[in-house]
Amino acid sequence: MNDRSAMRLARLQQALAVSGTLHLREAARLCGVSEMTIRRDLAASDGAMTLLGGRLVIASHPHYVPAYDLDVQQDSHALAKRRLCARAVGFIADGDTLFIDCGTTLLPLVGQLATRERLTVVTYALNVANAVSLLPEVRLVLLGGLFHASSQSFGSDDMSAAIKRLGINRAFISAAGVHTERGVSCFHFHEVAPKQAAIASAEQRLLVVDESKLGQVRPAYFAKLDDFDVVITDGDMAPLPESGGPRIVAA
């Protein structure tokens, strides 16, 4: 590592000590170099900083976790996810328009949609869309944009507006972190806008999470717990306010 690279890394560490996270684009502007140069600096560094969801974080930060791996998540808590979705399908009525979030938690829900009629599924997740496409009686609306391979999902600036134009009856939302005080969060910042738009637009908002997500805080915050009507989980939730909180459904 040369002296200029070391100086840039020191400047970024100082910035992160204040802000906690820093977008790659902002890091490049701060140092007066390209984003690729920042990536090279990080690759040649001692690992004190890392990129997570397009943002720089300190690797020793208490809420830092390794980058999200969809293949690993597919096998993680697989039985629990099937139980959660078996409870979730009970909230779906014939003729509903559903928003189904990205990730692996809600994928088993798709396999149970054949028990309902005249459904429409809205999603920005490629794995969900592929599964829905095999159901001949379910109409699919796939929201497009830039593809993010890490989560097999799309992101775009106008996705929120597209979601708000749709009449969504029920939004099924997944999360990587659920904390009673610090809210609901995920790994990837491009997921925040579609999650928030679906929560704002849907008649009923359902958060579906296995126990491994409870008590966790991830980099990208997107909602308060009381933004949801229902939380479906197989874990023990910490006490919630007596009024205004979601209904907790055990799987």
Side-chain angles (χ1 to χ4, degrees):
M1 180 188 303
N2 60 42
D3 291 342
R4 290 182 179 179
S5 178
M7 290 177 63
R8 287 192 294 267
L9 290 172
R11 179 177 296 176
L12 293 175
Q13 283 187 312
Q14 290 176 350
L16 289 174
V18 175
S19 63
T21 69
L22 190 66
H23 196 283
L24 178 61
R25 180 175 58 252
E26 297 169 351
R29 186 182 303 118
L30 177 65
C31 295
V33 296
S34 68
E35 294 181 16
M36 183 57 68
T37 297
I38 296 297
R39 290 182 183 274
R40 292 194 191 101
D41 288 345
L42 293 173
S45 71
D46 59 2
M49 291 177 288
T50 189
L51 274 173
L52 188 64
R55 288 179 174 265
L56 273 70
V57 297
I58 298 293
S60 60
H61 189 279
H63 301 306
Y64 167 74
V65 293
Y68 180 91
D69 188 315
L70 192 75
D71 291 333
V72 172
Q73 294 297 321
Q74 183 72 48
D75 297 327
S76 177
H77 302 272
L79 291 176
K81 291 171 182 176
R82 287 198 286 271
R83 289 197 301 270
L84 293 171
C85 289
R87 293 302 304 269
V89 75
F91 289 87
I92 300 174
D94 292 345
D96 272 354
T97 295
L98 313 174
F99 176 90
I100 299 183
D101 207 355
C102 67
T104 62
T105 298
L106 293 168
L107 199 55
L109 181 62
V110 176
Q112 303 186 48
L113 297 183
T115 61
R116 302 293 188 271
E117 298 179 351
R118 305 183 312 281
L119 296 180
T120 299
V121 170
V122 179
T123 188
Y124 62 111
L126 183 60
N127 59 339
V128 172
N130 283 336
V132 173
S133 70
L134 301 177
L135 302 175
E137 302 302 321
V138 179
R139 183 165 56 178
L140 171 64
V141 179
L142 176 58
L143 304 166
L146 178 65
F147 180 64
H148 297 265
S150 58
S151 59
Q152 290 192 20
S153 60
F154 297 89
S156 68
D157 293 338
D158 59 354
M159 190 175 289
S160 294
I163 291 172
K164 291 176 182 178
R165 288 194 295 268
L166 300 169
I168 296 174
N169 301 105
R170 270 162 265 283
F172 292 93
I173 306 294
S174 60
V178 178
H179 194 284
T180 54
E181 296 178 358
R182 301 186 63 181
V184 188
S185 53
C186 60
F187 285 98
H188 302 118
F189 289 90
H190 75 271
E191 298 175 16
V192 171
K195 288 175 189 284
Q196 290 181 337
I199 291 169
S201 304
E203 294 179 359
Q204 185 179 44
R205 294 75 55 88
L206 302 97
L207 177 64
V208 184
V209 288
D210 66 72
E211 63 178 351
S212 70
K213 314 305 193 319
L214 303 182
Q216 302 295 320
V217 179
R218 299 310 185 199
Y221 166 88
F222 65 87
K224 304 186 299 294
L225 262 177
D226 59 12
D227 289 331
F228 295 93
D229 303 296
V230 178
V231 176
I232 303 174
T233 184
D234 60 343
D236 294 327
M237 293 285 293
L240 298 175
E242 293 183 1
S243 60
R247 170 190 171 195
I248 308 300
V249 175

